[in-house]
């Protein structure tokens, strides 16, 4: 009876394992995910291009009588971006060996970067009233999605370039976090300069707003030149901690006044737009740079003091001469005194 029970148990286990094997065989194999590190950037570019195109097309549909050349140019840029990014994503599944890391991917990334760099001024120009109108954002989806799409195409193009050159730029940036912050400050200063100049030529009215916008232009110029100089000196190995500390502190103080003059009262950055975001971004990055430079300065000072305390003091010339006389005296035998001779 016991052997029959064991036989039935073994038979049931065999039947269960057979069913599992049948299920495993019946399941279709899962497709492999694309291994390109730029795949997510291409998908993001496709998604944001669709959002931009939908937002812009809806605005054109509601304002049929106000279309001009800038609207058509932006529509062409967004359409080209959506079409090429779609084919780039599709190529990761159909022919990845012919696209990923090859010349077609670099060509598509370069072409889309040129179109986005040429199309962003028309999208962000306040006078066109496409993504911004006046001081504030008029089409929120188009505004944020266009910046995100530009970031995606920049990442795809830059990552392809570093792969082609055999360099790990992201790793180098992580090893030098302050250099990355200087690049971020340079970018925000360039955006602030371009937006402030557009505001000055199109919407500047009144002594108060024009003077505050002039401060924004001056601040952007100084921050752009200073951050570019820091990046240049850093690449040549000529940047010291004291220079970084001094420049970052001065820029931080200037951005404190810049935030007060530009984003409050009658400033040109009161509304949500490029001037507002670039001013606050520069303020935050400059304070981060000043804080990091000050921490590095205090750490270097503490390390120097500790090294000086642990090091033995160097003997002076007088110590050396005195030591030689004492050694000569110790080598000569002492002459016996008179009392000792008499006692002997």
């Amino acid at each position: 009876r016991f052997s029959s029970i064991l036989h039935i148990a073994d038979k049931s286990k065999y039947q269960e394992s057979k069913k599992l094997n049948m299920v495993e065989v019946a399941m279709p194999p899962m497709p492999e995910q694309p291994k390109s590190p730029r795949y997510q950037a291409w998908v993001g570019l496709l998604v944001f291009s669709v959002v931009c195109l939908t937002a812009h097309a809806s605005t054109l549909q509601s304002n049929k009588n106000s279309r001009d050349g800038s609207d058509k140019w932006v529509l062409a840029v967004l359409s080209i971006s959506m079409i090429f990014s779609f084919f780039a994503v599709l190529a990761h599944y159909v022919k990845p060996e012919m696209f990923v890391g090859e010349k077609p991917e670099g060509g598509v990334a370069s072409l889309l970067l040129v179109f986005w760099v040429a199309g962003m001024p028309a999208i962000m120009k306040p006078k066109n009233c496409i993504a911004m109108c006046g001081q504030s954002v008029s089409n929120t989806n188009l505004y944020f999605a266009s910046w995100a799409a530009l970031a995606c195409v920049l990442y795809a193009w830059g990552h392809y370039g570093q792969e082609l050159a055999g360099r790990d730029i992201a790793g180098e940036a992580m090893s030098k976090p302050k250099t990355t912050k200087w690049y971020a400050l340079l970018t925000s200063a360039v955006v602030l300069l371009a937006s402030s100049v557009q505001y000055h030529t199109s919407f500047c009215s009144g002594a108060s707003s024009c003077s505050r916008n002039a401060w924004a232009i001056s601040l952007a110029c100084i921050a752009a030149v200073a951050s570019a100089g820091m990046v240049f000196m850093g690449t040549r190995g000529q940047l010291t901690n004291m220079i970084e500390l001094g420049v970052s502190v001065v820029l931080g103080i200037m951005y404190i006044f810049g935030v007060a003059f530009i984003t409050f009262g009658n400033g040109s950055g009161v509304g949500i737009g490029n001037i507002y975001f670039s001013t606050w971004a520069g303020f935050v990055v400059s304070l981060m740079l000043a804080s990091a430079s000050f921490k590095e300065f205090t750490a270097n000072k503490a390390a120097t003091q500790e090294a000086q305390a642990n090091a033995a003091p160097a003997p002076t010339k007088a110590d050396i001469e005195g030591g030689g006389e004492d050694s000569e005296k110790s080598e000569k035998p002492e002459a016996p005194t008179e009392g000792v001779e008499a006692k002997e």
Side-chain angles (χ1 to χ4, degrees):
R1 186 180 296 175
F2 181 75
S3 62
S4 63
I5 292 172
L6 291 176
H7 178 70
I8 293 170
D10 293 335
K11 190 175 181 180
S12 62
K13 288 181 179 179
Y14 172 76
Q15 290 177 353
E16 289 178 0
S17 62
K18 190 175 181 181
K19 289 179 181 179
L20 290 174
N21 291 332
M22 290 176 64
V23 171
E24 290 177 358
V25 172
M27 290 179 64
M30 296 295 293
E32 295 183 0
Q33 292 293 329
K35 297 181 180 180
S36 171
R38 296 173 292 277
Y39 173 73
Q40 295 181 350
W42 287 114
V43 172
L45 179 60
L46 175 60
V47 171
F48 292 124
S49 298
V50 171
V51 173
C52 290
L53 185 60
T54 305
H56 185 53
S58 61
T59 305
L60 292 179
Q61 187 67 24
S62 59
N63 300 324
K64 294 182 179 180
N65 298 326
S66 60
R67 297 179 184 178
D68 55 6
S70 59
D71 290 322
K72 295 178 181 178
W73 166 243
V74 171
L75 185 64
V77 170
L78 300 179
S79 301
I80 291 172
S81 177
M82 185 188 69
I83 293 171
F84 277 89
S85 58
F86 172 76
F87 282 112
V89 173
L90 186 63
H92 280 76
Y93 291 97
V94 179
K95 292 289 184 180
E97 68 278 1
M98 297 179 61
F99 182 80
V100 177
E102 301 297 331
K103 291 182 179 180
E105 186 180 14
V108 172
S110 302
L111 178 66
L112 292 181
L113 180 62
V114 170
F115 272 100
W116 272 105
V117 170
M120 283 298 288
I123 296 173
M124 296 297 167
K125 191 174 182 179
K127 196 174 182 179
N128 293 338
C129 285
I130 296 177
M132 293 186 60
C133 194
Q135 296 181 0
S136 59
V137 176
S138 58
N139 193 330
T140 309
N141 287 331
L142 179 58
Y143 178 83
F144 288 104
S146 59
W147 280 113
L150 179 62
C152 289
V153 72
L154 275 173
Y155 177 82
W157 180 79
H159 198 280
Y160 173 82
Q162 78 169 9
E163 186 178 287
L164 192 66
R167 293 182 57 187
D168 186 11
I169 299 178
E172 295 176 4
M174 292 297 293
S175 63
K176 299 178 180 179
K178 285 199 294 184
T179 304
T180 307
K181 292 183 178 66
W182 283 117
Y183 276 112
L185 185 60
L186 174 61
T187 304
S188 64
V190 171
V191 174
L192 178 60
L193 178 61
S195 303
S196 301
V197 170
Q198 286 183 350
Y199 177 86
H200 182 78
T201 56
S202 303
F203 299 98
C204 184
S205 61
S208 179
S209 62
C210 289
S211 61
R212 289 172 182 249
N213 189 68
W215 174 263
I217 295 174
S218 302
L219 174 61
C221 291
I222 295 173
V225 172
S227 54
M230 295 299 102
V231 170
F232 178 75
M233 293 177 67
T235 55
R236 296 177 63 88
Q238 299 175 350
L239 186 61
T240 62
N241 177 249
M242 289 298 297
I243 296 176
E244 258 188 326
L245 179 61
V247 173
S248 59
V249 168
V250 171
L251 289 178
I253 295 173
M254 293 184 66
Y255 266 103
I256 291 175
F257 289 99
V259 167
F261 280 109
I262 299 169
T263 63
F264 290 91
N266 296 325
S268 56
V270 175
I272 300 297
N274 290 339
I275 298 178
Y276 177 86
F277 286 117
S278 58
T279 303
W280 277 104
F283 168 73
V284 173
V285 174
S286 62
L287 289 186
M288 291 173 65
L289 280 167
S291 175
S293 300
F294 181 74
K295 287 181 180 179
E296 185 177 346
F297 172 75
T298 54
N300 293 339
K301 186 176 180 181
T304 303
Q305 291 177 352
E306 184 178 357
Q308 291 177 353
N310 294 334
T316 61
K317 186 175 180 180
D319 294 336
I320 295 174
E321 293 176 355
E325 292 177 359
D326 292 341
S327 61
E328 291 177 359
K329 289 180 181 179
S330 61
E331 291 175 358
K332 293 179 180 180
E334 294 183 356
T337 59
E338 296 178 357
V340 174
E341 291 178 353
K343 190 176 289 186
E344 290 178 353

